[in-house]
Tab-separated table of all heavy atoms in Angstrom:
chain	number	residue	atom	x	y	z
A	68	ASN	N	59.687	46.794	-184.696
A	68	ASN	CA	61.139	46.823	-184.510
A	68	ASN	C	61.680	48.201	-184.157
A	68	ASN	O	62.839	48.333	-183.795
A	68	ASN	CB	61.825	46.324	-185.783
A	68	ASN	CG	61.495	44.881	-186.094
A	68	ASN	OD1	61.433	44.050	-185.192
A	68	ASN	ND2	61.261	44.595	-187.361
A	69	VAL	N	60.841	49.240	-184.299
A	69	VAL	CA	61.311	50.601	-184.064
A	69	VAL	C	60.405	51.281	-183.058
A	69	VAL	O	59.208	51.415	-183.262
A	69	VAL	CB	61.328	51.424	-185.373
A	69	VAL	CG1	61.787	52.856	-185.087
A	69	VAL	CG2	62.244	50.763	-186.383
A	70	GLY	N	60.965	51.709	-181.957
A	70	GLY	CA	60.242	52.481	-180.953
A	70	GLY	C	61.077	53.685	-180.560
A	70	GLY	O	62.208	53.532	-180.123
A	71	PHE	N	60.550	54.874	-180.739
A	71	PHE	CA	61.312	56.078	-180.479
A	71	PHE	C	60.993	56.629	-179.095
A	71	PHE	O	59.839	56.693	-178.684
A	71	PHE	CB	60.996	57.156	-181.527
A	71	PHE	CG	61.387	56.769	-182.916
A	71	PHE	CD1	60.500	56.877	-183.957
A	71	PHE	CD2	62.665	56.298	-183.190
A	71	PHE	CE1	60.856	56.539	-185.246
A	71	PHE	CE2	63.034	55.946	-184.473
A	71	PHE	CZ	62.127	56.071	-185.509
A	72	GLY	N	62.032	57.071	-178.409
A	72	GLY	CA	61.865	57.738	-177.126
A	72	GLY	C	62.682	59.008	-177.105
A	72	GLY	O	62.894	59.651	-178.126
A	73	ASP	N	63.148	59.387	-175.923
A	73	ASP	CA	63.976	60.581	-175.812
A	73	ASP	C	65.320	60.358	-176.502
A	73	ASP	O	65.739	59.233	-176.745
A	73	ASP	CB	64.203	60.917	-174.335
A	73	ASP	CG	62.925	61.377	-173.656
A	73	ASP	OD1	61.962	61.685	-174.375
A	73	ASP	OD2	62.893	61.415	-172.411
A	74	GLY	N	65.990	61.437	-176.800
A	74	GLY	CA	67.304	61.344	-177.418
A	74	GLY	C	67.273	61.313	-178.927
A	74	GLY	O	68.274	61.000	-179.565
A	75	LEU	N	66.123	61.648	-179.530
A	75	LEU	CA	66.009	61.654	-180.989
A	75	LEU	C	65.994	63.069	-181.556
A	75	LEU	O	65.987	63.254	-182.764
A	75	LEU	CB	64.730	60.931	-181.412
A	75	LEU	CG	64.479	60.733	-182.919
A	75	LEU	CD1	65.566	59.858	-183.541
A	75	LEU	CD2	63.115	60.128	-183.166
A	76	TYR	N	66.013	64.082	-180.700
A	76	TYR	CA	65.740	65.446	-181.159
A	76	TYR	C	66.885	66.412	-180.826
A	76	TYR	O	66.672	67.621	-180.736
A	76	TYR	CB	64.456	65.949	-180.507
A	76	TYR	CG	63.351	64.926	-180.487
A	76	TYR	CD1	63.125	64.142	-179.359
A	76	TYR	CD2	62.548	64.730	-181.601
A	76	TYR	CE1	62.117	63.194	-179.336
A	76	TYR	CE2	61.537	63.786	-181.599
A	76	TYR	CZ	61.321	63.009	-180.453
A	76	TYR	OH	60.325	62.070	-180.449
A	77	GLU	N	68.078	65.899	-180.672
A	77	GLU	CA	69.181	66.736	-180.214
A	77	GLU	C	69.727	67.653	-181.298
A	77	GLU	O	70.287	68.710	-181.010
A	77	GLU	CB	70.297	65.847	-179.657
A	77	GLU	CG	69.892	65.126	-178.393
A	77	GLU	CD	70.906	64.095	-177.949
A	77	GLU	OE1	71.061	63.069	-178.641
A	77	GLU	OE2	71.559	64.328	-176.922
A	78	SER	N	69.588	67.273	-182.548
A	78	SER	CA	70.035	68.120	-183.645
A	78	SER	C	68.922	68.206	-184.670
A	78	SER	O	68.338	67.183	-185.046
A	78	SER	CB	71.305	67.559	-184.297
A	78	SER	OG	71.778	68.416	-185.302
A	79	ILE	N	68.612	69.438	-185.109
A	79	ILE	CA	67.527	69.635	-186.071
A	79	ILE	C	68.019	70.465	-187.243
A	79	ILE	O	69.046	71.140	-187.161
A	79	ILE	CB	66.312	70.329	-185.424
A	79	ILE	CG1	66.668	71.783	-185.061
A	79	ILE	CG2	65.801	69.554	-184.235
A	79	ILE	CD1	65.462	72.627	-184.725
A	80	ALA	N	67.281	70.405	-188.348
A	80	ALA	CA	67.549	71.234	-189.518
A	80	ALA	C	66.227	71.531	-190.204
A	80	ALA	O	65.367	70.650	-190.314
A	80	ALA	CB	68.501	70.540	-190.488
A	81	VAL	N	66.052	72.770	-190.640
A	81	VAL	CA	64.841	73.200	-191.331
A	81	VAL	C	65.120	73.241	-192.826
A	81	VAL	O	66.160	73.756	-193.255
A	81	VAL	CB	64.385	74.580	-190.833
A	81	VAL	CG1	63.163	75.067	-191.608
A	81	VAL	CG2	64.072	74.532	-189.336
A	82	SER	N	64.196	72.707	-193.618
A	82	SER	CA	64.370	72.701	-195.067
A	82	SER	C	64.306	74.115	-195.626
A	82	SER	O	63.785	75.040	-194.989
A	82	SER	CB	63.302	71.829	-195.734
A	82	SER	OG	62.009	72.355	-195.496
A	83	ARG	N	64.812	74.278	-196.848
A	83	ARG	CA	64.880	75.597	-197.457
A	83	ARG	C	63.501	76.209	-197.656
A	83	ARG	O	63.332	77.432	-197.537
A	83	ARG	CB	65.608	75.492	-198.808
A	83	ARG	CG	65.857	76.816	-199.497
A	83	ARG	CD	66.849	77.659	-198.739
A	83	ARG	NE	67.176	78.899	-199.446
A	83	ARG	CZ	67.933	79.871	-198.938
A	83	ARG	NH1	68.424	79.732	-197.732
A	83	ARG	NH2	68.185	80.953	-199.637
A	84	ASP	N	62.495	75.384	-197.935
A	84	ASP	CA	61.142	75.911	-198.147
A	84	ASP	C	60.390	76.108	-196.834
A	84	ASP	O	59.268	76.635	-196.826
A	84	ASP	CB	60.342	75.003	-199.077
A	84	ASP	CG	60.219	73.569	-198.544
A	84	ASP	OD1	60.559	73.321	-197.371
A	84	ASP	OD2	59.809	72.701	-199.327
A	85	GLY	N	60.983	75.685	-195.723
A	85	GLY	CA	60.375	75.889	-194.427
A	85	GLY	C	59.231	74.963	-194.099
A	85	GLY	O	58.567	75.111	-193.070
A	86	LEU	N	58.984	73.960	-194.942
A	86	LEU	CA	57.849	73.064	-194.740
A	86	LEU	C	58.205	71.813	-193.955
A	86	LEU	O	57.314	71.123	-193.463
A	86	LEU	CB	57.251	72.670	-196.092
A	86	LEU	CG	56.723	73.830	-196.948
A	86	LEU	CD1	56.199	73.302	-198.275
A	86	LEU	CD2	55.639	74.599	-196.197
A	87	SER	N	59.494	71.510	-193.858
A	87	SER	CA	59.920	70.284	-193.193
A	87	SER	C	61.005	70.580	-192.171
A	87	SER	O	61.800	71.506	-192.352
A	87	SER	CB	60.451	69.268	-194.210
A	87	SER	OG	59.485	68.959	-195.186
A	88	VAL	N	61.037	69.784	-191.131
A	88	VAL	CA	62.103	69.865	-190.146
A	88	VAL	C	62.580	68.439	-189.876
A	88	VAL	O	61.772	67.528	-189.670
A	88	VAL	CB	61.637	70.561	-188.847
A	88	VAL	CG1	60.422	69.880	-188.239
A	88	VAL	CG2	62.775	70.636	-187.824
A	89	ALA	N	63.884	68.239	-189.948
A	89	ALA	CA	64.479	66.915	-189.730
A	89	ALA	C	65.121	66.875	-188.363
A	89	ALA	O	65.593	67.890	-187.844
A	89	ALA	CB	65.503	66.603	-190.811
A	90	SER	N	65.171	65.677	-187.793
A	90	SER	CA	65.672	65.529	-186.434
A	90	SER	C	66.480	64.251	-186.308
A	90	SER	O	66.127	63.209	-186.869
A	90	SER	CB	64.489	65.498	-185.457
A	90	SER	OG	64.919	65.219	-184.145
A	91	VAL	N	67.606	64.349	-185.566
A	91	VAL	CA	68.413	63.172	-185.233
A	91	VAL	C	68.889	63.312	-183.799
A	91	VAL	O	68.836	64.389	-183.205
A	91	VAL	CB	69.635	63.011	-186.170
A	91	VAL	CG1	69.210	62.806	-187.605
A	91	VAL	CG2	70.580	64.203	-186.052
A	92	GLY	N	69.385	62.211	-183.248
A	92	GLY	CA	69.927	62.222	-181.892
A	92	GLY	C	71.017	61.194	-181.745
A	92	GLY	O	71.259	60.371	-182.642
A	93	THR	N	71.679	61.236	-180.612
A	93	THR	CA	72.822	60.355	-180.386
A	93	THR	C	72.421	58.953	-179.974
A	93	THR	O	73.290	58.087	-179.837
A	93	THR	CB	73.737	60.961	-179.312
A	93	THR	OG1	72.979	61.195	-178.111
A	93	THR	CG2	74.324	62.283	-179.786
A	94	ASP	N	71.120	58.719	-179.775
A	94	ASP	CA	70.674	57.399	-179.309
A	94	ASP	C	70.126	56.498	-180.401
A	94	ASP	O	69.958	55.297	-180.175
A	94	ASP	CB	69.591	57.562	-178.226
A	94	ASP	CG	70.133	58.139	-176.937
A	94	ASP	OD1	71.376	58.205	-176.800
A	94	ASP	OD2	69.336	58.535	-176.072
A	95	TYR	N	69.816	57.063	-181.578
A	95	TYR	CA	69.155	56.291	-182.620
A	95	TYR	C	69.854	56.492	-183.959
A	95	TYR	O	70.273	57.619	-184.278
A	95	TYR	CB	67.686	56.714	-182.769
A	95	TYR	CG	66.836	56.478	-181.557
A	95	TYR	CD1	66.635	57.492	-180.624
A	95	TYR	CD2	66.231	55.247	-181.335
A	95	TYR	CE1	65.851	57.290	-179.504
A	95	TYR	CE2	65.431	55.035	-180.219
A	95	TYR	CZ	65.253	56.052	-179.305
A	95	TYR	OH	64.475	55.847	-178.201
């Protein structure tokens, strides 16, 4: 049910410990 393509990486944030990076986009 979930297939990711372009448009998922337009905004990012790095966690305080620097071990994780989160990503969102206007398409998903």
